[in-house]
Amino acid sequence: MKILIIGGDGYLGWPTAMFLAKKKYQVFLTDNFSKRKIESENGIKPLQPIETLSNRVYTWNNLGKKKGYGKIRLISGDILNQRFLNKLLKNVKPDHIIHYGEQPSAPYSMMGREQAVYSQYNNIIGSLNLLFGVKGICPKSHIIKLGSMGIYGTPNIDIEEGYLKLKHKGRFDKVLFPMKPHSFYHLSKAADSLNLDFVCRVWGLKATDLHQGVVYGVNTKETIMNNNLVTSFHYDHIFGTVLNRFMVQAVCGSPLTIYGSGNQKRTFLNINDTLKCIELAIKKPAKYGEYKVRNQFTEVFDINELAQLVEVSAKELGIKVKIKKIKNPRTELSKHYYKPSNKSFLEIGLKPVYLNKKFIKETILYIQKYKVNIDKKILDPKIKWKN
Ligand code: USQ
């Protein structure tokens, strides 16, 4: 089975490529390296130095040959270039396309007009190009698109998976779940979802939209095989997600930065569960004409709970952690109802890895090995939702 991964250089794209190649899927990768560009423009580096994507692929293919794993093929380029994309689709004819290739940072998208426009243009037009490419060249391909739980916002009703059954003035209908995104980045995901739903209805394409929560963790079985294979673990204020940042802050003696009250709740999952979900989405694809939505998370936490869990775990390792509540740089509800569903993946066999002290301690010990690389200047949030 042929799998094309768009965004194969990223935090999740690269581990997904190895995970699937190990299971003998034929994996093709592409990336436009826009994240590396944003990193260098903003003076940001991941915790561990990351090899070039071609070296990572080279290392994997060499190691894999000895162990009988599948090969990864790299075809670098930008899906904003329709000619490149069409050629890629023509050459690969993928059974499944996993689309991670988007600017993934909410804070980056809120830096200013230029970054908001970039995020929306890159994400929405890139995805739209993909839809046209698939329609014209490989309409049988199943599109697996990485969405975000942040498109739903924090509504005062239970969050269903994609759709809501409505009764209005005595009549019934099923509509897309109302969206109230958290940022211009999340808005780009919401626009992608509308376009995906549209092309499934109108062109009969098949697509799965994975509304993913906040991912945490650094290692997968494949990333630890060789130093060249590590993934880009970010802890900075632009790309770093909250739990990853807290664990790095614990290691370098910086206070854990809780934004606002810390009562805001979000959905979370372990990086290894992301990989399992992707394979389940491949095994249980949408049907032709179907726009399938799966909420991809395993647990809900508020930010205070996460900070406390890091504090007690670090204490067991003899590390004293400070927690600091700072004025929230974002505009988000500080106290709210939150009950999202994640039945869809559990029903098709996801066995989640739940967050616990053991995992946090292991990750802290791993981060400690790279403590000298931690740049404290990039920890504090510098981007505000409104000035
Ligand atoms: N937060 C803190 N302290 C920090 C960093 C964040 O309290 O030092 C809080 C934020 O205020 C927010 C929550 O943690 O309420 C989550 O923030 P985050 O930066 O971990 O995640 P977010 O910006 O929502 O975006 C991340 C990924 C994005 C993905 C999204 C899933 O960067 O690509 O789509 O998680 S979700 O959050 O479900 O929308």
Side-chain angles (χ1 to χ4, degrees):
M1 195 176 272
K2 287 191 275 184
I3 313 283
L4 171 64
I5 300 179
I6 304 171
D9 194 41
Y11 171 54
L12 302 175
W14 174 241
T16 304
M18 295 188 288
F19 176 80
L20 294 177
K22 194 170 168 189
K23 292 180 173 244
K24 301 281 175 63
Y25 291 93
Q26 287 187 57
V27 177
F28 297 81
L29 281 195
T30 193
D31 204 290
N32 68 357
F33 305 108
S34 70
K35 195 170 169 191
R36 293 196 187 222
K37 187 164 170 270
I38 297 173
E39 282 172 16
S40 76
E41 281 168 2
N42 289 278
I44 284 165
K45 279 187 191 155
L47 181 70
Q48 292 163 267
I50 301 302
E51 268 303 325
T52 61
L53 187 53
S54 47
N55 275 347
R56 291 160 125 185
V57 170
Y58 178 80
T59 306
W60 172 263
N61 287 341
N62 266 341
L63 276 176
K65 206 161 37 182
K66 290 175 209 142
K67 294 183 187 278
Y69 300 158
K71 212 175 153 187
I72 298 176
R73 291 169 185 83
L74 171 64
I75 308 124
S76 300
D78 195 340
I79 63 166
L80 286 174
N81 177 342
Q82 189 79 52
R83 279 177 61 178
F84 163 77
L85 177 61
N86 286 355
K87 203 169 149 203
L88 178 67
L89 295 175
K90 221 173 263 165
N91 289 340
V92 176
K93 289 258 162 49
D95 297 292
H96 300 266
I97 301 167
I98 304 169
H99 182 19
Y100 283 112
E102 300 203 329
Q103 190 297 101
S105 163
Y108 180 78
S109 75
M110 299 302 292
M111 259 173 107
R113 181 196 160 276
E114 197 184 308
Q115 292 81 0
V117 169
Y118 175 76
S119 302
Q120 296 211 347
Y121 186 81
N122 180 72
N123 295 2
I124 300 168
I125 306 304
S127 294
L128 197 54
N129 282 352
L130 178 66
L131 302 182
F132 273 92
V134 170
K135 174 185 174 252
I137 292 159
C138 50
K140 290 186 179 159
S141 300
H142 174 222
I143 302 165
I144 300 176
K145 166 79 186 26
L146 267 292
S148 177
M149 284 300 290
I151 67 154
Y152 299 120
T154 47
N156 204 27
I157 55 172
D158 290 14
I159 298 175
E160 307 302 335
E161 307 204 39
Y163 297 92
L164 184 67
K165 285 185 191 142
L166 266 189
K167 183 183 172 204
H168 182 62
K169 295 188 177 169
R171 300 186 65 82
F172 294 88
D173 206 349
K174 190 178 160 194
V175 296
L176 285 183
F177 198 90
M179 300 182 194
K180 217 178 191 183
H182 294 302
S183 68
F184 286 122
Y185 152 75
H186 289 97
L187 277 152
S188 74
K189 297 279 185 186
D192 288 342
S193 295
L194 290 172
N195 285 342
L196 273 178
D197 170 59
F198 179 73
V199 299
C200 291
R201 278 189 287 123
V202 175
W203 294 341
L205 300 187
K206 45 181 179 178
T208 301
D209 207 351
L210 300 177
H211 286 320
Q212 185 164 242
V214 185
V215 183
Y216 58 82
V218 58
N219 289 327
T220 70
K221 282 196 181 116
E222 293 76 33
T223 61
I224 55 173
M225 281 167 54
N226 185 286
N227 262 345
N228 285 0
L229 302 180
V230 296
T231 195
S232 55
F233 177 88
H234 281 278
Y235 59 90
D236 59 84
H237 68 116
I238 293 182
F239 290 121
T241 52
V242 60
L243 181 56
N244 288 350
R245 281 166 55 71
F246 283 178
M247 292 187 286
V248 170
Q249 287 166 333
V251 168
C252 71
S254 282
L256 312 193
T257 48
I258 293 178
Y259 296 172
S261 69
N263 292 322
Q264 64 272 40
K265 291 183 181 168
R266 293 291 180 272
T267 53
F268 292 85
L269 75 163
N270 187 296
I271 186 169
N272 289 284
D273 280 345
T274 291
L275 309 186
K276 290 190 246 165
C277 287
I278 295 287
E279 196 186 14
L280 286 169
I282 291 172
K283 288 186 168 162
K284 300 275 180 200
K287 299 182 196 78
Y288 289 108
E290 186 188 12
Y291 167 65
K292 174 117 206 121
V293 179
R294 298 187 192 275
N295 291 347
Q296 185 164 314
F297 70 91
T298 57
E299 290 175 281
V300 174
F301 295 104
D302 72 32
I303 306 301
N304 290 322
E305 285 175 288
L306 290 178
Q308 279 151 20
L309 197 58
V310 172
E311 185 186 29
V312 294
S313 309
K315 199 170 169 199
E316 290 181 13
L317 295 171
I319 302 171
K320 198 171 162 4
V321 161
K322 285 169 273 172
I323 295 179
K324 192 166 131 196
K325 288 195 174 168
I326 60 176
K327 191 171 180 293
N328 198 336
R330 306 183 182 197
T331 302
E332 48 190 6
L333 292 181
S334 60
K335 206 168 173 23
H336 55 89
Y337 180 78
Y338 199 54
K339 198 165 171 235
S341 162
N342 66 341
K343 268 195 238 134
S344 154
F345 270 119
L346 300 176
E347 277 169 6
I348 59 170
L350 177 68
K351 302 267 177 294
V353 187
Y354 293 113
L355 182 63
N356 57 27
K357 285 193 285 182
K358 182 172 173 276
F359 172 85
I360 292 183
K361 284 193 284 184
E362 280 167 8
T363 311
I364 285 180
L365 290 174
Y366 182 84
I367 294 169
Q368 267 181 336
K369 292 197 258 173
Y370 303 93
K371 191 175 170 181
V372 289
N373 294 350
I374 300 173
D375 178 359
K376 289 191 179 184
K377 294 195 297 301
I378 60 175
L379 280 172
D380 285 340
K382 295 176 188 68
I383 299 163
K384 294 197 180 96
W385 263 225
K386 70 180 179 211
N387 289 318

